[in-house]
Amino acid sequence: MLDVARSSECTVSKEWNDLLLTFYKSIDSSPSWQGFVEMLTSVFVSASAIMVIRPSSEHDLGFLVCSDRAADATIRKYQESWYDLDPLRVLPADKVIIGSEIMADEEWQQCVFYKDFFIYTTAIGVDRILAVNIVTSSGTFSRLRIHRGPDQPPFSAEDKAKLSFLVPHLKQGLHLAALIGRKEVERQLFEETLDRLHIGTIILDETQHILRTNEAARDLMAAKDGLRNVNGMIEGCYASDSRNIRDLLARTANDPDMMLTQSLSRPDTDRKLGIVVRSIPLIASSEGKVRPAWALFLRDPDARSGSMIDAIQQMFDFTRAEATLAAELANGLTLDEAADAMGIKRNTARAHLRSVFVKAGVTRQTELVRILLNGVIGLS
């Protein structure tokens, strides 16, 4: 079928090469899989194709891609109700079938799915449906459906063989897409956590250029608060600090067990910015000059915790006033300063503090601040 040695099949071979290339490009493209699904209709000389990346359920509309980008209303109806009526939703994993192999045409025309869905879209026979359900090792369960119109010929054994040729690629591509998606979710969660803790992170490549930063680091560099981004490279606000950063990078290079710290001067405050530098072990199989080589961690001693009053109130069963006082103390205010900020008298603040001590199980203000900052409050 795909013997490229036969000159008469050279065009088909290029077409399939383009199809596979489009499929693997779809793994991280936007909109996901759209170009691949559209190309399927051309390769299989069909009227439409649908790829269900994540099946719909009672609690999740799922995710599917249709070759007809204008079919939003139809897709929505399928996601909301028609998915549960689809007689082809349960098939042997990874086995390509023509609809007529598991249903007679009369049975197909009498089923609710045909009457409510296919007549709504296009009244086609069951022999004009080519289907496969893909199950990957990462737990992905997907479906691919290719449809021909009433004026097109039924699918043949050769069409089945062609789609069967694609199945291993579909399995691998969907598996990779699932892994990439999970890694991206994990990365976003970790990055968000560091942002909440006011820890800036900067990843540098082998040429010491910036590969990635989180929001906390970007804010510091944008404000030129001890650190600057100069043509894609990290610089201190003063020449001596820039030299110190280069020295840290040189000393930690190729030794991932070494972590060095340094303080950086800041133009607008005497309190210095702390920075930790460590190298990142290079993966032997990686190539190019954009491999992560160093990680820099920053902590701003002046950073104030965000609005954590609700979390404190829930955690310790404080009243609103008690939670507000505890939050002000955690942000570095004295009791008198917290009382002024809250617009209450000092004696009232002291009464709130006594109640806070009892509920939190502490006896000193420093102990209260410690459990607030070291606990999960800062993450909420």
Side-chain angles (χ1 to χ4, degrees):
M1 177 191 64
L2 298 173
D3 183 3
V4 296
R6 292 170 55 186
S7 60
S8 62
E9 295 187 2
C10 286
T11 302
V12 174
S13 177
K14 182 182 185 308
E15 187 177 44
W16 277 82
N17 179 72
D18 291 343
L19 179 66
L20 290 174
L21 182 60
T22 301
F23 173 70
Y24 283 107
K25 283 183 176 180
S26 293
I27 292 175
D28 62 352
S29 67
S30 180
S32 299
W33 313 108
Q34 186 69 50
F36 169 71
V37 174
E38 290 175 0
M39 189 173 287
L40 274 176
T41 61
S42 173
V43 172
F44 282 89
V45 194
S46 57
S48 66
I50 297 176
M51 191 171 182
V52 180
I53 308 299
R54 187 177 73 253
S56 304
S57 67
E58 182 181 354
H59 306 291
D60 179 17
L61 286 178
F63 174 61
L64 62 87
V65 181
C66 181
S67 58
D68 181 2
R69 301 193 187 201
D72 292 343
T74 302
I75 291 172
R76 187 75 178 185
K77 287 180 178 294
Y78 180 88
Q79 290 176 304
E80 291 175 346
S81 59
W82 283 335
Y83 75 89
D84 198 36
L85 303 173
D86 186 351
L88 302 181
R89 69 186 183 279
V90 180
L91 297 175
D94 309 332
K95 182 179 180 181
V96 178
I97 65 102
I98 298 173
S100 57
E101 294 176 334
I102 62 171
M103 295 181 70
D105 206 51
E106 296 78 10
E107 183 183 3
W108 167 245
Q109 292 175 6
Q110 291 302 314
C111 75
V112 176
F113 185 70
Y114 175 83
K115 292 180 178 179
D116 285 0
F117 179 64
F118 266 101
I119 286 186
Y120 180 86
T121 54
T122 177
I124 63 172
V126 72
D127 56 358
R128 288 168 174 79
I129 301 174
L130 195 61
V132 62
N133 289 355
I134 305 293
V135 181
T136 72
S137 57
S138 57
T140 301
F141 179 79
S142 303
R143 302 169 185 162
L144 179 62
R145 304 290 184 262
I146 305 175
H147 309 122
R148 283 180 176 166
D151 57 340
Q152 293 177 306
F155 285 110
S156 64
E158 182 179 358
D159 294 317
K160 282 185 60 178
K162 287 182 178 180
L163 188 54
S164 296
F165 169 81
L166 273 181
V167 167
H169 295 277
L170 295 174
K171 287 174 67 73
Q172 182 64 16
L174 291 167
H175 171 71
L176 291 174
L179 292 182
I180 291 171
R182 291 172 188 174
K183 292 294 184 183
E184 179 62 16
V185 169
E186 292 172 5
R187 184 199 63 75
Q188 290 178 357
L189 286 173
F190 286 129
E191 186 172 296
E192 181 181 314
T193 299
L194 292 174
D195 284 331
R196 288 177 180 272
L197 293 174
H198 305 288
I199 298 175
T201 58
I202 302 173
I203 307 299
L204 304 182
D205 66 16
E206 293 176 281
T207 65
Q208 300 184 6
H209 282 78
I210 299 171
L211 272 182
R212 190 175 189 88
T213 60
N214 71 340
E215 184 177 354
R218 289 193 293 273
D219 288 345
L220 284 169
M221 289 190 289
K224 296 181 173 57
D225 193 10
L227 211 60
R228 300 177 300 162
N229 179 344
V230 180
N231 298 322
M233 299 188 74
I234 295 297
E235 298 285 350
C237 289
Y238 301 95
S240 59
D241 286 334
S242 295
R243 289 193 296 269
N244 288 336
I245 292 172
R246 300 289 169 256
D247 179 62
L248 294 181
L249 295 175
R251 291 165 59 192
T252 56
N254 304 317
D255 188 354
D257 294 326
M258 180 182 291
M259 299 180 66
L260 298 179
T261 61
Q262 181 73 45
S263 61
L264 304 175
S265 298
R266 305 161 75 186
D268 300 324
T269 178
D270 292 333
R271 285 186 290 275
K272 296 189 175 184
L273 181 69
I275 183 172
V276 177
V277 177
R278 62 160 296 178
S279 65
I280 301 173
L282 297 178
I283 301 173
S285 60
S286 63
E287 291 293 340
K289 292 295 183 182
V290 291
R291 295 181 292 183
W294 284 277
L296 283 63
F297 302 97
L298 315 165
R299 189 69 190 268
D300 179 3
D302 289 331
R304 289 174 57 88
S305 297
S307 180
M308 54 184 181
I309 296 173
D310 289 341
I312 293 175
Q313 188 173 1
Q314 294 170 18
M315 179 68 70
F316 298 102
D317 197 26
F318 290 164
T319 65
R320 191 68 179 178
E322 292 167 353
T324 302
L325 176 65
E328 296 290 5
L329 296 176
N331 275 321
L333 299 187
T334 65
L335 184 62
D336 288 344
E337 290 170 338
D340 289 341
M342 295 172 63
I344 60 177
K345 295 181 179 180
R346 189 175 191 278
N347 287 340
T348 303
R350 289 179 64 84
H352 287 327
L353 186 60
R354 286 193 295 270
S355 179
V356 164
F357 280 177
V358 171
K359 292 180 181 179
V362 300
T363 57
R364 296 190 302 276
Q365 188 171 317
T366 54
E367 190 177 4
L368 172 66
V369 172
R370 178 179 59 80
I371 66 171
L372 290 177
L373 296 182
N374 290 343
V376 299
I377 300 301
L379 301 177
S380 61

